Amino acid sequence: MEKGTISINAQNIMPVIKKWLYSDKDIFLRELVSNGCDAIAKYKLIALKGDAPAEEDYRVDVIVDKEAGTLQIVDNGIGMTGEEVEKYICQVAFSGAEEFLKQYKPEEGENGGIIGHFGLGFYSAFMVSSKVVIDSLSWQAGAQAVRWTSEDGMTYDMEPSDRAERGTCITLYLNEDEKEFLDKYTVRGVLEKYCAFMPVPVYLSEVKKPEPPKEEEGEAKEDKPEEKPAEPEQINETTPLWLKRPSDCTDEEYREFYRKVFHDYEEPLFWIHLNAEYPFNLKGILYFPKIRNEFTASEGRVKLFSNQVFVADNIKEIIPEFLLLLKGAIDCPDLPLNVSRSFLQNDGYVKKLSAYITRKVADRLTGEFNTKREDYQKYWDDIHPFVKYGCIRDEKFYDRVKDAILFKTTTGEYLTVKEYGDRNFKDDKKTVFYASDPQRQAQMIQLYRDQDTDVVVLDTLIDNNFISFMEYSGKDGLTFRRVDASMEGLTEQGDSDEDTRKALEEKFRKALNQPELEVKLEKFKSSEMPAMITVEEQSRRFTEMAKQWGNGMGLPEKRALVLNAAHPLIEYLKTADAESDMTEMVCSQVLDLAEMSRQMLAPERMVAFLTRSNKLLTIFCTDK
Ligand code: ADP
Ligand code: MG
């Protein structure tokens, strides 16, 4: 038996590997299975050249043996000779790890970062094993099978092996506290996570202890049944849909893939099949999921693969954050994956890749809009938070999709900014009128509708931010006004009678006991209403923001009571006795009614309003 010691550095490196990888220790399976796949890929190349016979049934087997406490990973790839084991397992892999550590040591507090996901190859086996055995038979004619055994990854034994088939069998003797990997369902879960799309069939099986022979009426069975693994089940799909040419994929295949991978039985809205060799080797499918509500919008998941090997979910450095609202799979074989997070953040290639993905998504959106507008409009309610979020996060994205941004009107039409402008912008004012709550704001909306002005619905959380973004960065010079922000465009032009206004203001202030109340007097164009309340846009946003950030302070909203000079009630109030109960009641009623067309009254105010309404009705009908 040959004995050897792996280089002195091993003592320094093993503990680090174990520690770093600890949080993701299940990746040892990914590493070993992908090594098996690599070995098969190498053998295929040799067979292709005619140097060895082709194999019918290339496969990697993962075999759980609870009884023996082992997990085996077996492949029928090229195998290794004794020298190769020494070279690849004992030296190269190791010095590779060492170099790796020198180069990409994670920064303080980085907690391993991405490294935890990417792993360090063969040596990750020692994260979970108290002993690792390699039995390997090289493809080369006359090769002698070898067995390599190591208990700590630092020292090893080599001896001849009795392995008779070409390929490699790795046997892990699992640590006492890693026995979960002896559970077939756990192992299947890990394989499904990492190996679901590996290019070689991966099978899982379990060595079952034979049932103890039943003693039938004293007749003990003589022949014990053979121990044999149960029928292996294939875990993976060797040709994932993203590798197919987009023109060869059917819609049903895309949907099927989505259901299978994301277990989402809600149909995706549409998808983007990325299929590029240049400038990036990048393949993948991104789906726009149907979003049930704003709060589930963050449930997206983009799986990153490298050559069909799962790397990690939602790597923000590669997939721009706002695209993480999507679901999908991206395969980037050329990514420098064995690196730390900070490396990815600063890498030019990664940045360009990320920008490229963003561009593709934007192009797909505008493509949908240009060629299938009707469908696009149907999706809009689902995708708009995503599009808006993307615009806010990435100005380049905004520049690309801005012509495909839609405003939904209160009458259910979908207009682009340009279409809205063509229909509604007057003079050089570019005001977009919007409602944040179409039901409550129905009265105000109606006033605009009466003037043939479209009101758009901007009623989701993201809209407030989107409005600010459009005003400040949108370059279109748009201004957004909520329908209750002013009476702009809703009143007749003309000189207002300042004395009358002042007198009415006094009357209201006194009757309502609100000395600060601002009263305006205008002739409404269409309304039957005696008055409206307006709340100046910026001051309202400011207050809303203050509320959102949890401090109720901030400046008070700039409110005004706008009276309709053409209304008989206002006419009546002009001459009414400022001291009378009736004036007080009418003023209160006018104010409450105006308030109600914007929002619900507070409970006490509501009670007072109802009491007063009944009183006024009684007086009207009975004079009492
Ligand atoms: P990497 O796969 O990144 O090269 P690993 O540590 O996973 O690093 O493996 C080191 C080397 O050991 C491989 O490059 C390969 O030459 C050899 N090797 C590992 N597993 C096998 C296997 N199952 N069959 C043949 N060779 C293997
Ligand atoms: Mg490897």
Side-chain angles (χ1 to χ4, degrees), residues 558-596:
K558 280 195 208 142
R559 297 159 68 92
L561 180 66
V562 187
L563 303 177
N564 183 0
H567 198 278
L569 254 187
I570 304 303
E571 206 55 50
Y572 161 83
L573 284 174
K574 282 181 194 166
T575 53
D577 175 4
E579 308 292 328
S580 81
D581 286 353
M582 193 51 149
T583 303
E584 191 195 312
M585 275 201 287
V586 173
C587 287
S588 303
Q589 198 75 356
V590 166
L591 184 77
D592 284 355
L593 285 168
E595 188 71 284
M596 286 167 87

Side-chain angles (χ1 to χ4, degrees), residues 5 117 137:
T5 306
H117 297 297
L137 176 61

Side-chain angles (χ1 to χ4, degrees), residues 31 34-35 38 121-122:
E31 294 300 325
S34 66
N35 280 353
D38 291 348
F122 174 76

Side-chain angles (χ1 to χ4, degrees), residues 81 85 90 217 248 278 312 365 435 483 496 504 529 540 609:
T81 62
V85 172
C90 309
E217 277 130 47
D248 293 344
Y278 183 85
L365 283 168
V483 283
S496 59
L504 280 166
M529 293 285 286
R540 192 202 78 243
F609 169 80

Side-chain angles (χ1 to χ4, degrees), residues 31 35-36 38-39 42 75 78-80 88-89 93 120-122 168:
E31 294 300 325
N35 280 353
D38 291 348
K42 286 174 192 162
D75 68 72
I78 48 170
M80 284 178 278
Y88 297 131
I89 298 292
L120 280 172
F122 174 76
T168 303

Side-chain angles (χ1 to χ4, degrees), residues 22 25-26 28-29 64 66 71 128 174-188 190:
Y22 199 70
K25 56 181 184 254
D26 58 2
F28 76 90
L29 251 180
V64 180
K66 230 178 194 147
L71 193 58
V128 292
L174 292 169
N175 281 338
E176 204 45 54
D177 42 0
E178 309 297 350
K179 296 290 188 208
E180 55 174 315
F181 296 112
L182 291 176
D183 177 51
K184 190 178 170 188
Y185 298 96
T186 306
V187 174
R188 184 194 288 152
V190 178

Side-chain angles (χ1 to χ4, degrees), residues 447-462:
L447 294 186
Y448 284 94
R449 299 289 316 138
D450 289 346
Q451 302 304 317
D452 287 326
T453 300
D454 292 300
V455 174
V456 305
V457 181
L458 295 174
D459 60 351
T460 49
L461 279 179
I462 189 86

